[in-house]
Amino acid sequence: MSNTDNGSVAVPAGVQLPIYMDNHATSQLDPRVLEAMLPYFTSKFGNAASRNHSFGWEAEQGVETAREQIARLIGATAKEIIFTSGATESNNLAIKGIAEMYKERGNHIITQVTEHKAVLDTCKRLEKYGYRVTYLPVKADGLIDLDDLKRAMDDKTILVSIMFANNEIGVVQPVAEIGKLCHERNVIFHTDAVQAVGKIPVDVNAMNIDVLSLTAHKLYGPKGVGALYVRRRNPRVQISAQLDGGGHERGMRSGTLNVPGIVGLGAACEIAREEMESEAARLIRLREKLKAKLEGALDYVHVNGSMEHRLPGNLNMSFVYVEGESLLMGINEIAVSSGSACTSATLEPSYVLKALGLGDDVAHSSIRFGLGRFNNEAEVDYVADKLIDIVQKLRELSPLYEMVKEGIDISKIEWQAH
Ligand SMILES: *Cc1c(COP(=O)(O)O)cnc(C)c1O
């Protein structure tokens, strides 16, 4: 039996509403990760820093196993992993910690315009303290131009911070080439790899990455725990601590470790390492099906960002001549993100989409689909059918779409601000 929701698209068997398709925002905890964490909430409750009894040793053992699991996933060694509260903290620690440690060497930092706010706002703060920051533009496909990067580097450059994969449009930057350029010039390379770790291969040595941020909750682990990889040799990278205290984590990050969270992060990395290849293949297939269905049924839709250099589970599409808010309301049982960000009272178009050259209206009428481990094909079919239905209905009511169909050049019309 299939029922119908408030619209005219049937909800097939095997599909439960609401559907979660927003895996770049966060992901569902994998039950296997929860299983690994549970003992550390109850019987194994020790402080990993307690050196003189078995409660402490037991907790420390859990933490050290996690360190190894994380290191293995990114080609690092366990000693190079520092635990944090998440990627916001990892990015802050990396950028501020390097800026402070290497200030004698130079004061110039290079990043790019579509970074996460945890990187952009950290760089903005450093500008107030006298650092010089270059924000590289991106091309229409969302990728930086390596020649721009080369030109931006000078003898005062101490750090390049470029994300591995973008959280809105899913594009994967040329990380290995960036790392090579940095190492040739003796510049430290940090990458916010939150969206990449566990989804696509990451190898800190092959890619010349010196410092890397990751977080558990984007790879089916718990919220509030992350890590920073800090290279120990060729070259050895040093970071000034940003929290003062007991000197945990080799002096780089004080504070009693979140043992259950860390064990969960480790377990999530272990699962990702074993299943990444097959999971990526499955998500690409689902993503391509979603894309093909939407493009097959609708005109004036386009993908934002490079399709070639892209995360398996990401699709970001603009549905031109549809009003963004109405579109989201029409699919209110499907959890996705729009090309709008709520800042205080107003709805601002996404700065990432604007950086690709999209106008405000098109940015607002864009949707980010974030497919993940727990999505299935029936959901993809339903989401596609539902979206097609809503877009068609909204366009029937759209004078703009009608004009375009009649061949009127709407770019010549002046619009009133709304
Ligand atoms: C989610 C995200 C962050 C922030 O991570 P938290 O652990 O939630 O602080 C940073 N960078 C990117 C690219 C992200 O997607």
Side-chain angles (χ1 to χ4, degrees):
M1 275 296 292
S2 65
N3 53 335
T4 53
D5 60 10
N6 55 1
S8 52
V9 178
V11 183
V15 172
Q16 280 244 28
L17 297 182
I19 293 171
Y20 191 74
M21 212 171 267
D22 200 15
N23 282 280
H24 302 295
T26 194
S27 55
Q28 187 186 332
L29 192 76
D30 190 304
R32 295 169 290 180
V33 172
L34 177 63
E35 198 65 33
M37 291 171 70
L38 283 175
Y40 293 89
F41 284 110
T42 53
S43 61
K44 301 184 182 183
F45 61 83
N47 184 330
S50 296
R51 287 284 147 78
N52 44 16
H53 53 67
S54 64
F55 293 89
W57 303 332
E58 202 170 44
E60 190 190 18
Q61 185 55 53
V63 168
E64 293 315 312
T65 300
R67 228 186 274 283
E68 277 162 25
Q69 289 167 320
I70 298 158
R72 209 174 298 139
L73 179 61
I74 62 171
T77 62
K79 279 188 176 162
E80 296 173 307
I81 304 299
I82 304 298
F83 291 111
T84 66
S85 62
T88 298
E89 187 191 340
S90 294
N91 286 338
N92 271 266
L93 176 56
I95 297 167
K96 290 174 182 165
I98 289 165
E100 191 181 328
M101 181 62 78
Y102 294 89
K103 61 175 182 290
E104 308 298 330
R105 199 195 275 182
N107 70 339
H108 182 224
I109 296 168
I110 301 172
T111 184
Q112 59 90 26
V113 292
T114 67
E115 292 291 316
H116 191 273
K117 288 288 182 189
V119 167
L120 291 176
D121 289 354
T122 300
C123 288
K124 273 189 208 149
R125 182 176 296 272
L126 288 174
E127 284 186 281
K128 288 191 195 140
Y129 297 151
Y131 290 86
R132 192 159 51 86
V133 181
T134 301
Y135 301 88
L136 299 176
V138 292
K139 299 176 285 181
D141 64 1
L143 301 175
I144 64 158
D145 185 332
L146 291 168
D147 288 328
D148 287 342
L149 174 59
K150 272 187 230 166
R151 272 193 293 273
M153 291 204 230
D154 61 37
D155 58 358
K156 290 280 183 261
T157 309
I158 51 173
L159 172 67
V160 168
S161 180
I162 307 274
M163 69 199 323
F164 207 118
N166 186 270
N167 45 296
E168 285 190 38
I169 52 177
V171 298
V172 179
Q173 297 287 353
V175 171
E177 288 85 344
I178 297 168
K180 189 162 171 286
L181 283 176
C182 289
H183 274 204
E184 282 166 4
R185 289 162 175 78
N186 219 11
V187 171
I188 297 170
F189 176 33
H190 164 253
T191 185
D192 174 348
V194 164
Q195 297 289 344
V197 169
K199 316 290 168 61
I200 53 176
V202 173
D203 186 323
V204 292
N205 288 317
M207 295 166 173
N208 284 312
I209 296 165
D210 297 315
V211 186
L212 175 148
S213 303
L214 62 92
T215 189
H217 76 101
K218 306 277 173 89
L219 69 148
Y220 315 103
K223 291 165 186 62
V225 59
L228 188 66
Y229 155 78
V230 183
R231 177 175 289 282
R232 268 166 70 89
R233 36 198 304 268
N234 303 322
R236 180 184 184 86
V237 175
Q238 288 178 288
I239 288 194
S240 281
Q242 301 298 302
L243 288 178
D244 296 306
H248 306 72
E249 298 299 276
R250 294 177 30 241
M252 282 187 253
R253 203 280 194 172
S254 288
T256 300
L257 293 180
N258 167 9
V259 178
I262 288 167
V263 168
L265 171 55
C269 287
E270 183 72 16
I271 295 167
R273 195 173 59 82
E274 284 164 0
E275 301 183 357
M276 178 162 40
E277 219 179 291
S278 58
E279 186 165 287
R282 191 180 77 88
L283 290 180
I284 287 173
R285 198 174 55 75
L286 291 183
R287 195 262 314 277
E288 291 304 313
K289 181 166 194 194
L290 180 58
K291 176 172 176 282
K293 278 189 99 161
L294 294 171
E295 285 177 340
L298 300 168
D299 53 6
Y300 302 104
V301 295
H302 65 256
V303 174
N304 297 308
S306 165
M307 274 313 293
E308 189 189 343
H309 304 281
R310 198 182 198 93
L311 293 171
N314 178 280
L315 185 65
N316 188 308
M317 277 183 117
S318 295
F319 300 86
V320 191
Y321 310 124
V322 171
E323 208 254 318
E325 265 179 279
S326 316
L327 181 57
L328 275 199
M329 271 193 299
I331 55 165
N332 62 356
E333 298 244 67
I334 302 168
V336 289
S337 278
S338 75
S340 314
C342 248
T343 54
S344 59
T346 58
L347 219 50
E348 290 289 326
S350 145
Y351 67 92
V352 172
L353 295 178
K354 290 200 75 170
L356 305 190
L358 267 64
D360 288 9
D361 283 356
V362 181
H364 280 304
S365 66
S366 304
I367 288 182
R368 173 186 74 181
F369 303 93
L371 292 159
R373 182 171 295 164
F374 302 105
N375 289 120
N376 61 40
E377 188 159 356
E379 288 175 333
V380 166
D381 284 329
Y382 173 74
V383 167
D385 292 342
K386 183 76 191 174
L387 230 99
I388 291 163
D389 184 58
I390 296 292
V391 170
Q392 283 170 345
K393 280 185 177 141
L394 290 172
R395 281 180 177 170
E396 273 166 31
L397 306 170
S398 160
L400 209 58
Y401 181 67
E402 207 166 290
M403 282 193 267
V404 171
K405 290 300 251 187
E406 284 166 11
I408 299 169
D409 184 356
I410 58 164
S411 67
K412 301 257 158 63
I413 302 171
E414 283 191 25
W415 305 101
Q416 255 185 303
H418 55 267

